[in-house]
Amino acid sequence: MIIIDSPSHDAYFNIALEEYLLYHYPTEDIFLLYINAPSIIVGKFQNTLAEINLDYVTENNIKVVRRMSGGGAVYHDLGNLNFSFHTLLGQNDFMDFSTFTEPIIKLLNGLNVPAKLEGRNDLLIDGKKFSGNAKLARNGKMIQHGTILFNSDMSVLDDALKINPLKYVDKAIKSNRARVINLIEYFPNEMTTDELKALLIDEMLETNEGATIYHLTTEDLNGVAKLIEEKYQTWDWNFGFSPKYNFKNAKKIPAGFIEVHLDVERGGTIEKAKIFGDFFASEPIEALENKLIGIKHNEEEIAKVLNSIDVTDYFGKVTVDEILELFR
């Protein structure tokens, strides 16, 4: 087994690193640890926009990244430790989450923290969740990865994942918001996330014969950078990959009440747009609806359309920003 302590807190880097290792180290057993700066990691089959508070995420520069595995959306920050096991497919039961959560439980139990695996894939203390786990099988390998809430900012977690369920109608997998807890509450002496990471690395070195620390090479770093550029920092992967969905939003502004309805196809392209309200317009609203069809449900692209016209012709005395808010 090789143990990798990621040199980066960038969520794009660390999620891309998981895929890079999957394809460039196909026969190695790997234990990867990483800590991300504030970010939201969404499951592969989720509708990203339906999982996040886009306004809050944008205002607070929180990165949003889609991962390769299924499951729900999770919030990461510097108080959150993430781990990832890579093994050959077939060596372990794909649906068994206990094998690769056992080292975490063993370490915590040894520190008098009563952690245990409950249900299919969650680690809990006194009925409260501090770790969720997900799996995927690809390229002859299996990855099980999870997150450990250690000293995460719970207020940001709640705000970043607080969405309006009335805005989106789809069949995408929804996140299950369980009661969560930070492990720091169970440590009488102050400890940092980095110190917990070091303890877990020591545990893996002691319990896995022949395990060694591996440092990423320049070739590795360049390969990860290429994946980031081509995939993990793109709107198409993080947002556009979402399943087909219906979106609606309404707002009362000085010019009147406005309600927007969108049918968005897989890939994030607006298939149909309808705008209703009690506003007064000199131009037919159907002309604006037609301009929206075929573009991405992406704030940047919608802003280009709105800035290319005089929005007061369609809504009366309004600003572009007021109308743009309706598409979030």
PDB file of all heavy atoms in Angstrom, residues 6 9 39 50 52 101 111 263 279 327:
ATOM      1  N   SER A   6      -2.197  14.499   0.391  1.00  0.00           N
ATOM      2  CA  SER A   6      -2.283  15.500  -0.672  1.00  0.00           C
ATOM      3  C   SER A   6      -1.615  16.810  -0.260  1.00  0.00           C
ATOM      4  O   SER A   6      -1.819  17.296   0.858  1.00  0.00           O
ATOM      5  CB  SER A   6      -3.745  15.781  -1.030  1.00  0.00           C
ATOM      6  OG  SER A   6      -3.834  16.894  -1.899  1.00  0.00           O
ATOM      7  N   HIS A   9      -5.045  22.024  -0.750  1.00  0.00           N
ATOM      8  CA  HIS A   9      -6.370  22.191  -0.147  1.00  0.00           C
ATOM      9  C   HIS A   9      -7.414  22.568  -1.201  1.00  0.00           C
ATOM     10  O   HIS A   9      -8.541  22.925  -0.857  1.00  0.00           O
ATOM     11  CB  HIS A   9      -6.339  23.289   0.925  1.00  0.00           C
ATOM     12  CG  HIS A   9      -5.536  22.942   2.143  1.00  0.00           C
ATOM     13  ND1 HIS A   9      -5.480  21.668   2.663  1.00  0.00           N
ATOM     14  CD2 HIS A   9      -4.771  23.720   2.959  1.00  0.00           C
ATOM     15  CE1 HIS A   9      -4.701  21.666   3.730  1.00  0.00           C
ATOM     16  NE2 HIS A   9      -4.254  22.888   3.935  1.00  0.00           N
ATOM     17  N   SER A  39     -15.767  24.086   0.204  1.00  0.00           N
ATOM     18  CA  SER A  39     -16.237  23.556  -1.076  1.00  0.00           C
ATOM     19  C   SER A  39     -17.431  22.651  -0.841  1.00  0.00           C
ATOM     20  O   SER A  39     -17.633  22.147   0.268  1.00  0.00           O
ATOM     21  CB  SER A  39     -15.120  22.784  -1.787  1.00  0.00           C
ATOM     22  OG  SER A  39     -14.527  21.839  -0.918  1.00  0.00           O
ATOM     23  N   ALA A  50     -29.930  21.951  -7.499  1.00  0.00           N
ATOM     24  CA  ALA A  50     -30.966  21.615  -6.523  1.00  0.00           C
ATOM     25  C   ALA A  50     -30.385  21.221  -5.177  1.00  0.00           C
ATOM     26  O   ALA A  50     -31.127  20.981  -4.225  1.00  0.00           O
ATOM     27  CB  ALA A  50     -31.839  20.477  -7.062  1.00  0.00           C
ATOM     28  N   ILE A  52     -27.523  23.010  -3.774  1.00  0.00           N
ATOM     29  CA  ILE A  52     -26.741  24.079  -3.158  1.00  0.00           C
ATOM     30  C   ILE A  52     -27.530  25.377  -3.086  1.00  0.00           C
ATOM     31  O   ILE A  52     -28.488  25.584  -3.830  1.00  0.00           O
ATOM     32  CB  ILE A  52     -25.429  24.331  -3.934  1.00  0.00           C
ATOM     33  CG1 ILE A  52     -25.711  24.897  -5.337  1.00  0.00           C
ATOM     34  CG2 ILE A  52     -24.612  23.049  -4.048  1.00  0.00           C
ATOM     35  CD1 ILE A  52     -24.489  25.336  -6.101  1.00  0.00           C
ATOM     36  N   THR A 101     -13.695   1.344   6.778  1.00  0.00           N
ATOM     37  CA  THR A 101     -13.986   2.289   7.859  1.00  0.00           C
ATOM     38  C   THR A 101     -13.401   1.788   9.176  1.00  0.00           C
ATOM     39  O   THR A 101     -13.292   2.558  10.134  1.00  0.00           O
ATOM     40  CB  THR A 101     -15.505   2.498   8.030  1.00  0.00           C
ATOM     41  OG1 THR A 101     -16.147   1.220   8.179  1.00  0.00           O
ATOM     42  CG2 THR A 101     -16.097   3.226   6.832  1.00  0.00           C
ATOM     43  N   LEU A 111      -8.782   6.303  21.120  1.00  0.00           N
ATOM     44  CA  LEU A 111      -8.729   7.637  21.730  1.00  0.00           C
ATOM     45  C   LEU A 111      -9.959   7.898  22.598  1.00  0.00           C
ATOM     46  O   LEU A 111     -10.265   9.044  22.929  1.00  0.00           O
ATOM     47  CB  LEU A 111      -8.628   8.697  20.629  1.00  0.00           C
ATOM     48  CG  LEU A 111      -7.359   8.651  19.769  1.00  0.00           C
ATOM     49  CD1 LEU A 111      -7.492   9.572  18.558  1.00  0.00           C
ATOM     50  CD2 LEU A 111      -6.133   9.039  20.598  1.00  0.00           C
ATOM     51  N   ASP A 263     -37.736  24.418 -18.472  1.00  0.00           N
ATOM     52  CA  ASP A 263     -37.499  22.985 -18.642  1.00  0.00           C
ATOM     53  C   ASP A 263     -36.057  22.855 -19.105  1.00  0.00           C
ATOM     54  O   ASP A 263     -35.690  23.399 -20.165  1.00  0.00           O
ATOM     55  CB  ASP A 263     -38.434  22.373 -19.691  1.00  0.00           C
ATOM     56  CG  ASP A 263     -39.879  22.331 -19.218  1.00  0.00           C
ATOM     57  OD1 ASP A 263     -40.114  22.539 -18.017  1.00  0.00           O
ATOM     58  OD2 ASP A 263     -40.771  22.113 -20.060  1.00  0.00           O
ATOM     59  N   PHE A 279     -46.401  42.434 -14.637  1.00  0.00           N
ATOM     60  CA  PHE A 279     -45.603  43.568 -15.098  1.00  0.00           C
ATOM     61  C   PHE A 279     -46.165  44.106 -16.429  1.00  0.00           C
ATOM     62  O   PHE A 279     -46.954  43.436 -17.098  1.00  0.00           O
ATOM     63  CB  PHE A 279     -44.135  43.146 -15.282  1.00  0.00           C
ATOM     64  CG  PHE A 279     -43.974  41.883 -16.085  1.00  0.00           C
ATOM     65  CD1 PHE A 279     -43.878  41.907 -17.468  1.00  0.00           C
ATOM     66  CD2 PHE A 279     -43.916  40.632 -15.442  1.00  0.00           C
ATOM     67  CE1 PHE A 279     -43.734  40.743 -18.207  1.00  0.00           C
ATOM     68  CE2 PHE A 279     -43.768  39.468 -16.172  1.00  0.00           C
ATOM     69  CZ  PHE A 279     -43.676  39.517 -17.557  1.00  0.00           C
ATOM     70  N   PHE A 327     -33.337  33.557 -12.116  1.00  0.00           N
ATOM     71  CA  PHE A 327     -32.856  32.336 -12.755  1.00  0.00           C
ATOM     72  C   PHE A 327     -31.911  31.548 -11.842  1.00  0.00           C
ATOM     73  O   PHE A 327     -31.352  30.544 -12.263  1.00  0.00           O
ATOM     74  CB  PHE A 327     -32.156  32.693 -14.068  1.00  0.00           C
ATOM     75  CG  PHE A 327     -33.074  33.234 -15.117  1.00  0.00           C
ATOM     76  CD1 PHE A 327     -33.369  34.587 -15.181  1.00  0.00           C
ATOM     77  CD2 PHE A 327     -33.677  32.365 -16.015  1.00  0.00           C
ATOM     78  CE1 PHE A 327     -34.238  35.076 -16.150  1.00  0.00           C
ATOM     79  CE2 PHE A 327     -34.553  32.846 -16.981  1.00  0.00           C
ATOM     80  CZ  PHE A 327     -34.838  34.210 -17.046  1.00  0.00           C
TER      81      PHE A 327
END
